[in-house]
Amino acid sequence: MKDLVEFIARSLVNDPMEVHVDEKRHGSKVYLNLRVAKEDMGRVIGRGGRVANAIRRLLRVAAARDGKNASLDIDDPK
């Protein structure tokens, strides 16, 4: 699932080397944190959060196929 989020995010941003995904697992739950460059936040979130919500939907579908629950947080760059 981490690979899926990384692939999607790197496809969207101008600086793919700044894409970092951290994964934490607790039983059947998977928590992912996505970090991108400050300049690319708009591309990952999208207008009204549409792109971010689409990524979350794809992640949930992939997780459900494996019998897991997944959530994605997009960290605000410092």
Side-chain angles (χ1 to χ4, degrees):
M1 283 176 265
K2 177 181 176 180
D3 296 334
L4 174 66
V5 174
E6 279 183 355
F7 175 77
I8 294 169
R10 287 188 174 158
S11 299
L12 292 171
V13 299
N14 288 328
D15 190 4
M17 297 307 294
E18 290 295 318
V19 173
H20 301 283
V21 179
D22 297 321
E23 180 178 28
K24 294 181 184 175
R25 294 176 182 253
H26 296 285
S28 66
K29 295 186 180 183
V30 179
Y31 301 98
L32 297 169
N33 287 336
L34 172 63
R35 286 180 284 132
V36 296
K38 187 174 186 175
E39 299 81 30
D40 291 324
M41 283 298 289
R43 291 178 171 274
V44 172
I45 294 175
R47 184 170 289 159
R50 289 182 184 176
V51 174
N53 287 332
I55 295 170
R56 288 184 180 112
R57 274 188 226 116
L58 288 170
L59 179 62
R60 276 189 236 121
V61 168
R65 289 180 135 194
D66 292 339
K68 299 179 181 179
N69 293 329
S71 68
L72 173 68
D73 289 328
I74 301 172
D75 291 339
D76 191 27
K78 306 282 186 243

